[in-house]
Structure formats: C-alpha cells, structure tokens
Amino acid sequence: MGKTIFSKIINREIPADIVYETESILAFRDINPQAPVHILIIPKIEIPSVKELSGKEHSKLLGDMIDAANEIARKENISQSGFRLVFNCGADAGQEVYHLHLHLLGGRKMNWPPG
Ligand code: 5GP
C-alpha cells in the first residue's frame, strides 16, 4: 500500500501543526478545520481504516488514542464544554485519507445527527 499524506507528516516530509506526540501516536491540526478545535490523532504505524482494527490486537493502540484525545481536549480547554470523536470508515462515511485517524472536534455546539 502506498504512503498516504499522513505518513509524510509522520516522517516530517511535509509540515503540520503537531500538538501531541508519543512513541506510537501523533496528533496535528486538521488543515481544513470543521470546528474551532479540529485535531487528527493518528497511529504512527500504517493501518488504513477501522476495518483493519481488532480489539484483541489493537487494544493498546486504541487506548493510547483515547488517552491522547483526553489530554489534548484538556490542553485545548474543551474538556469541560464537550467534544466529539469521529472515525470515518470507508466511502459512505466520507473517509478521504486511508491512514487511520480519529477526529477530535470541539469549541462549538455540534448537531446530531451528523450530515
Ligand atoms: P477523513 O475524511 O479521511 O476522515 O479526514 C481526513 C482529514 O484530513 C480531513 O479533515 C482533511 O481536512 C485532513 N487533511 C487532508 N490532508 C491534510 C494535510 O495535508 N494536512 C492536514 N493537517 N490535514 C489534512
């Protein structure tokens, strides 16, 4: 599978506004934000989408992604007011980049159901 734009961000081949990094996780601001806070939380290993995840194999990684989301939400001051976490999986959900990513959105009131 070819490298996605997110692999290039991980490898510092293209710039991004990185807000959080650990050995396994990177998080950076979305280039086209849909809310005042819109951050993408990604694993450093290449996994195309949620479909390739299993609870058994990836529980540590998923836990790390949730820990990242909570820590970033606190730093961005949206932890109290609330935030949304989204995985888009596949064409109908509007997934554009086939490197797993968790959207962290906040800083405004959001609607439900989503469009
Ligand atoms: P998806 O639709 O796949 O769930 O979300 C992909 C997200 O990646 C979109 O919100 C899009 O704005 C963001 N994105 C695409 N290319 C880049 C990029 O080069 N840099 C950054 N920071 N975000 C990107």
Side-chain angles (χ1 to χ4, degrees):
M1 179 153 252
K3 267 192 184 184
T4 69
I5 197 100
F6 291 175
S7 295
K8 292 180 182 163
I9 289 174
I10 292 166
N11 296 329
R12 286 8 187 220
E13 291 166 26
I14 63 164
D17 187 355
I18 293 169
V19 297
Y20 177 98
E21 183 167 21
T22 65
E23 210 173 297
S24 59
I25 303 287
L26 191 70
F28 50 89
R29 292 187 199 283
D30 196 293
I31 205 166
N32 181 23
Q34 301 302 311
V37 176
H38 187 174
I39 289 163
L40 302 170
I41 299 164
I42 71 171
K44 288 186 177 174
I45 57 167
E46 284 181 30
I47 300 172
S49 78
V50 168
K51 270 197 301 186
E52 286 75 31
L53 287 177
S54 83
K56 209 172 175 183
E57 193 182 339
H58 299 107
S59 56
K60 168 79 168 74
L61 183 68
L62 286 165
D64 289 347
M65 291 175 82
I66 296 299
D67 286 349
N70 273 316
E71 191 173 322
I72 297 162
R74 283 192 292 271
K75 275 193 206 150
E76 297 283 329
N77 290 313
I78 56 170
S79 193
Q80 289 301 318
S81 50
F83 54 88
R84 186 170 288 173
L85 296 176
V86 177
F87 281 114
N88 290 323
C89 181
D92 273 4
Q95 185 174 2
E96 287 172 1
V97 180
Y98 281 79
H99 182 122
L100 184 72
H101 51 280
L102 180 60
H103 294 259
L104 166 62
L105 297 140
R108 68 167 170 84
K109 184 106 179 91
M110 272 170 267
N111 299 319
W112 192 263

